[in-house]
Amino acid sequence: MKEPTSSAKAPEPPLDFIRAIITEDVANLKNGGRVATRFPPEPNGYLHIGHAKSICLNFGVAAEFGGKCNLRFDDTNPTKEDVEYVESIKQDVHWLGFDWEDREYYASDYFGQLYDFAVHLINAGKAYVDDLTADEIREYRGSLIRPGKESPHRARSIEENLCLFERMRDGEFEDGLRVLRAKIDMASPNLNLRDPVLYRIRRVSHHRTGDRWCIYPMYDYAHALSDAIEGITHSLCTLEFEDHRPLYDWCIENLPVPSRPRQIEFARLNLNYTVMSKRKLLTLVQKGLVAGWDDPRMPTIGGLRRRGYTPESIRDFAARVGLAKRENVVDVALLEDCARDDLNRRVPRALAVLRPLRIVIENFPEGRVEDVELANNPEEPSAGTRKVPFSRVLYIEQDDFREVPPPRYFRLAPGREVRLRGTYFVRCTGVVKDEKTGEVVELRCTYDPATKGGAAPDGRKVKATIHWVSAAHAVDAEVRLYDRLFTVPDPGGDDEEDFTALLNPSAREVLCDCKVEPGLAAAASGSRYQFERLGYFSVDPDSADGRLVFNRTVTLRDTWARIEQTRRQGLGTRD
Ligand code: ATP
Ligand code: MG
């Protein structure tokens, strides 16, 4: 046997199970080799990072196989739906970088056809109007261990069913008085097949069809048939629909539909320290526990966008998370890493001081200003350089000074010398304190003119470089720091407990007295920066002329914080 010849190309990663199925279907010329997917949100809330996974999957698969992905609003439950949500969903999908072109569809556009399909089922003896109440239907349905019981109305004649269904549509009956049910199998081990309800009466105005309908189709029925009407080939949905697949297939098999989609389930994305249920997110918004759907603490796409996440980082996250067939929980740290990786490459650096401590360089001439040239992005030389003014009075971070430095703390302390980013060595020569509180309010320092550019001709070293902003030139800013929304990894675990009690009270900290380098004075809303040594920040839309507001997207990987934390936990120090 011949040895396989080695190829210079790295092996392709194995396909996930969904792409493997589609590859095989295409190879077998199923659906003529065509691939069509859809993203089917219900417009009853804003999209979150879990939806982003589904969007990336559906639009991604379509693009990879030369197919199309539709945006379809599954708007079959008018009580909870609203155009506000439709608009936000469209904005979010676009922002993520996907385009449905002219294929913006609504399940409600098919209400007429879905009604005709229901009549078809009645004519075929496969659907009937039931007069049982919702409670009775539940009781009759049985359970996993108790067989179902047939409704006394199951044997109605086709004529009577047709007449009653028409009267349901014409508004002759009160809400909940009658339903249309599929006639499948009350003894089925799958509860979804025990004569599921297909239509119910609801006198509610629909955001698109107004008061034209007072009967509305149920999700399972409408979803399967909408897929078939649109010629969807692969209907990708989350695991909770696995048990509904037989009903999905039943609808397709028992109606004269133009195409035969295949439903494939994947595990939904779960993230720790947050909740992903639209109902719970809505509760947070309605109770005012967050500042709206796009509060930067929220796992919504709008929240992540406002916080400074890029679409690229979210798409990268979706790819890294991959596809599974079993439920799992992803660490939010992975999402943060995706943001860092992307922002590190693309955003300019800036000097900013969040908790300012004034320092005066006593031997630096009063009134003199030096322009320090700094790289905009050391990772990206083509990003060029900028000039930042340096003068006698500066701000540094309070955290970069300790009157009594702990072991392994290498930053400024009385008598100690550090490098100021991009410029000179400075030594702390004195400390000015508030007479009443004893708080350090100013440092007196000297600088060594020979160390310009950050190196000493005599070869002496400093162990730390800290950032600074010139006091006379600094621009004031408000900076909002964010942390995890909840204090526990699984706040949505038990549905009944009051999950809002688990909110992290320090998930948002507002710093009002921050100082940023003057070049940021006119920073546009949404623009992003790396504040050196601090993290990635983006300009919040709350900014107005003369009032800059930044959101912290994510911190840098902070070694000192880790050392301190390790120490607090009594684990000793590691490097
Ligand atoms: P609900 O049905 O409770 O209102 P939902 O989150 O399922 O909420 P939909 O609007 O039905 O919301 O979701 C649209 C699509 O996004 C569906 O195909 C759904 O399976 C998918 N999806 C929803 N949540 C996630 C998630 N966490 N991970 C992956 N896909 C998701
Ligand atoms: Mg859903």
Side-chain angles (χ1 to χ4, degrees):
M1 244 218 237
K2 263 197 346 195
E3 289 281 310
T5 46
S6 75
S7 131
K9 242 174 85 188
E12 296 275 325
L15 291 177
D16 60 62
F17 74 99
I18 289 184
R19 287 173 170 87
I21 292 172
I22 298 178
T23 303
E24 197 185 322
D25 285 350
V26 170
N28 292 333
L29 291 180
K30 203 174 161 191
N31 306 299
R34 196 174 53 87
V35 172
T37 58
R38 84 289 169 266
F39 173 64
E42 185 180 353
N44 62 353
Y46 281 59
L47 297 183
H48 54 57
I49 182 79
H51 295 114
K53 172 176 172 167
S54 175
I55 293 167
C56 292
L57 173 66
N58 280 294
F59 281 92
V61 154
E64 289 157 36
F65 289 89
K68 304 266 188 221
C69 178
N70 299 348
L71 175 63
R72 182 195 327 132
F73 291 96
D74 254 324
D75 53 351
T76 52
N77 182 6
T79 44
K80 292 187 178 156
E81 295 162 5
D82 199 279
V83 277
E84 174 199 347
Y85 299 132
V86 170
E87 291 311 315
S88 80
I89 289 169
K90 293 196 314 195
Q91 182 195 8
D92 288 349
V93 176
H94 268 152
W95 180 79
L96 277 173
F98 299 104
D99 189 9
W100 56 90
E101 297 167 333
D102 57 353
R103 298 178 311 283
E104 176 181 325
Y105 300 133
Y106 294 81
S108 56
D109 290 346
Y110 313 136
F111 281 172
Q113 199 165 352
L114 296 177
Y115 179 85
D116 293 344
F117 279 147
V119 170
H120 183 102
L121 287 175
I122 295 172
N123 274 313
K126 290 174 180 166
Y128 62 97
V129 172
D130 200 355
D131 305 353
L132 294 184
T133 64
D135 284 341
E136 285 165 337
I137 289 179
R138 203 171 308 119
E139 175 62 28
Y140 275 56
R141 183 177 296 129
S143 69
L144 287 175
I145 46 165
R146 201 156 45 84
K149 203 166 79 180
E150 293 187 357
S151 161
H153 313 288
R154 199 175 196 256
R156 267 184 173 138
S157 71
I158 289 174
E159 290 65 35
E160 193 185 357
N161 279 318
L162 285 173
C163 173
L164 284 174
F165 188 49
E166 201 174 299
R167 292 173 61 197
M168 274 171 65
R169 181 199 60 189
D170 293 344
E172 287 190 31
F173 309 121
E174 289 306 305
D175 285 17
L177 205 63
R178 292 200 156 95
V179 293
L180 183 75
R181 297 178 71 176
K183 193 190 279 188
I184 307 182
D185 179 7
M186 288 309 288
S188 171
N190 184 332
L191 296 182
N192 294 306
L193 294 183
R194 293 187 188 170
D195 291 7
V197 172
L198 303 180
Y199 270 90
R200 58 188 168 178
I201 304 171
R202 279 254 158 120
R203 274 178 189 68
V204 183
S205 262
H206 187 283
H207 62 105
R208 281 177 69 83
T209 58
D211 295 321
R212 232 183 88 213
W213 296 91
C214 65
I215 55 169
Y216 290 99
M218 299 301 286
Y219 179 85
D220 284 330
Y221 173 78
H223 190 77
L225 296 172
S226 303
D227 281 349
I229 290 167
E230 289 177 17
I232 300 304
T233 57
H234 298 86
S235 180
L236 313 178
C237 64
T238 34
L239 278 183
E240 69 270 24
F241 291 105
E242 195 170 8
D243 288 346
H244 298 238
R245 188 177 352 120
L247 175 55
Y248 183 100
D249 291 340
W250 184 91
C251 293
I252 305 289
E253 279 155 20
N254 287 284
L255 284 163
V257 288
S259 82
R260 303 197 141 232
R262 169 175 180 183
Q263 175 178 307
I264 309 172
E265 308 87 17
F266 62 94
R268 62 171 48 231
L269 171 74
N270 300 302
L271 262 193
N272 59 11
Y273 295 100
T274 192
V275 290
M276 214 87 94
S277 130
K278 279 193 265 190
R279 188 175 53 80
K280 286 182 177 155
L281 294 172
L282 180 63
T283 303
L284 295 179
V285 173
Q286 285 177 338
K287 287 193 172 171
L289 297 167
V290 294
W293 284 99
D294 70 344
D295 184 302
R297 288 168 289 187
M298 294 276 270
T300 51
I301 296 179
L304 292 167
R305 173 171 57 232
R306 185 161 181 180
R307 182 145 164 181
Y309 274 77
T310 58
E312 289 82 355
S313 61
I314 295 177
R315 296 202 302 260
D316 179 37
F317 173 72
R320 288 205 223 171
V321 162
L323 286 180
K325 286 191 215 183
R326 223 177 290 154
E327 288 294 341
N328 55 51
V329 180
V330 175
D331 193 334
V332 65
L334 178 65
L335 179 62
E336 294 171 350
D337 260 353
C338 292
R340 288 188 189 101
D341 285 353
D342 185 44
L343 296 169
N344 181 41
R345 267 181 280 121
R346 61 201 299 177
V347 307
R349 275 44 175 172
L351 298 181
V353 172
L354 303 189
R355 296 175 180 90
L357 174 61
R358 201 176 128 94
I359 76 169
V360 179
I361 304 176
E362 293 182 311
N363 59 339
F364 195 89
E366 216 144 340
R368 181 156 125 206
V369 179
E370 284 184 16
D371 277 335
V372 178
E373 190 163 6
L374 294 175
N376 284 330
N377 185 348
E379 303 279 321
E380 184 53 68
S382 68
T385 61
R386 69 189 187 288
K387 298 229 162 76
V388 183
F390 180 87
S391 65
R392 179 181 155 92
V393 183
L394 308 171
Y395 293 115
I396 63 167
E397 231 33 270
Q398 288 169 15
D399 211 30
D400 283 338
F401 172 80
R402 295 284 163 90
E403 201 175 6
V404 184
R408 289 167 58 78
Y409 182 91
F410 298 123
R411 303 177 226 170
L412 209 51
R416 194 182 283 175
E417 193 173 42
V418 297
R419 181 188 294 107
L420 291 180
R421 174 84 176 94
T423 95
Y424 303 101
F425 287 8
V426 293
R427 185 181 300 281
C428 175
T429 52
V431 173
V432 180
K433 291 185 181 176
D434 182 301
E435 275 176 20
K436 286 199 199 99
T437 64
E439 188 196 349
V440 176
V441 291
E442 185 180 291
L443 303 182
R444 310 300 285 187
C445 296
T446 56
Y447 86 114
D448 178 355
T451 56
K452 190 175 175 111
D458 63 7
R460 79 180 188 278
K461 300 274 186 251
V462 290
K463 283 191 170 158
T465 301
I466 65 174
H467 61 276
W468 50 272
V469 179
S470 166
H473 304 88
V475 175
D476 290 332
E478 173 180 320
V479 176
R480 299 171 183 170
L481 307 180
Y482 300 102
D483 197 352
R484 289 161 185 183
L485 184 53
F486 289 92
T487 50
V488 297
D490 184 15
D494 180 352
D495 251 19
E496 295 317 310
E497 85 186 300
D498 180 16
F499 72 102
T500 61
L502 302 170
L503 279 167
N504 176 6
S506 25
R508 173 182 144 123
E509 185 181 357
V510 179
L511 304 175
C512 294
D513 186 28
C514 310
K515 309 284 180 185
V516 302
E517 66 174 68
L520 267 46
S525 172
S527 47
R528 306 179 179 94
Y529 299 89
Q530 184 199 93
F531 289 172
E532 290 207 23
R533 301 179 59 235
L534 296 173
Y536 296 95
F537 294 77
S538 94
V539 180
D540 190 86
D542 281 350
S543 298
D545 270 354
R547 179 169 180 262
L548 268 177
V549 180
F550 289 91
N551 294 314
R552 184 174 68 196
T553 313
V554 64
T555 57
L556 299 178
R557 291 180 192 93
D558 180 350
T559 22
W560 175 250
R562 234 184 297 133
I563 290 171
E564 269 197 324
Q565 194 186 3
T566 319
R567 208 173 260 166
R568 266 201 306 275
Q569 291 167 347
L571 302 175
T573 53
R574 275 186 331 150
D575 203 283

